[in-house]
Amino acid sequence: MQELVVQLAKIKTALEKKLNHPFLGKHLPSPVIDEDKLLLLYAIFDEMDLSDELKEHYIITAMLVQIALNTHDDVSTKNDINSQEFFERQLTVLAGDYFSGLYYLVLSEVKDIDMIKVFALAIKEINEHKIKLYHEEESKELSIMESLEVVETSLFKRITQHYKLDFHRLLASKFLIYKRLSHEKFHSYDKGILPFSYLTKACSELVEETTLLLKDSTFKNPEIKKLLVKRLHAIQFYESLHNNNAVEEGL
């Protein structure tokens, strides 16, 4: 597993170099790199007959797409803000645009028009469903779940569909929506978009489905499976801690 961890660290370092901008770094927090998404992307592209360099290009590009979308999510929507907050809001918008431009640059270097279309379609879907989540306050639970799933998994679904990797599409979808709902449970008592009881039931079903998928899975590199299982257990552990706290608080 050590070799896999080294490979992931190498890609993460290359991604951090792409994200590094002296002016942005001076005024804004460093973008968060989701290491679970990085691992899942590595698992997807590791199945393909591509050079290591090209795999790294695609993984970094997909992560740049994700980070650009996340950065735009951080833009403040408050009306009553001071001059410093206004400056930071404008800079956050520009940072998201800058990260968006980076992934087009990386893809242009490999001249892959088809993959640009794949990413563009995923971005369109994700933005449409983010708008639904933000503006349709009376949405039903199933509608909210549908939008959350698109936001978390569309990028992975489009990539795996493009390469006809059906198992990886299903695994990534289950894993990522479970992780998102597990995270939502931490906010369900104050500003969550779904009730705690609904999230608990959904998480239980999703973690069972993801566990079964991993149990029956095969990867070119068996260490990927071991690391995914380890990461899934880590998410479960933190969820169980939150469950215990919620019971104590009477949620």
Side-chain angles (χ1 to χ4, degrees), residues 16-32 71 84 87-88 91-92 94-96 98-99 102:
E16 287 171 337
K17 287 181 68 175
K18 292 281 187 186
L19 294 168
N20 183 41
H21 188 286
F23 185 75
L24 294 177
K26 183 178 179 181
H27 296 282
L28 296 175
S30 298
V32 175
T71 300
Q84 178 61 27
F87 171 73
E88 290 176 356
L91 195 56
T92 302
L94 290 174
Y98 172 69
F99 298 145
L102 283 178

Side-chain angles (χ1 to χ4, degrees), residues 2-40:
Q2 187 60 34
E3 184 179 344
L4 172 60
V5 172
V6 169
Q7 285 295 318
L8 290 168
K10 176 174 173 270
I11 296 172
K12 184 180 178 182
T13 299
L15 176 59
E16 287 171 337
K17 287 181 68 175
K18 292 281 187 186
L19 294 168
N20 183 41
H21 188 286
F23 185 75
L24 294 177
K26 183 178 179 181
H27 296 282
L28 296 175
S30 298
V32 175
I33 296 175
D34 189 322
E35 296 192 9
D36 291 320
K37 290 184 176 180
L38 180 63
L39 173 58
L40 285 165

Side-chain angles (χ1 to χ4, degrees), residues 165-183:
L165 294 171
D166 292 338
F167 170 78
H168 290 73
R169 174 184 55 79
L170 185 59
L171 175 63
S173 297
K174 296 292 184 182
F175 190 105
L176 291 174
I177 191 61
Y178 166 61
K179 181 178 179 178
R180 173 62 186 265
L181 294 186
S182 177
H183 174 76

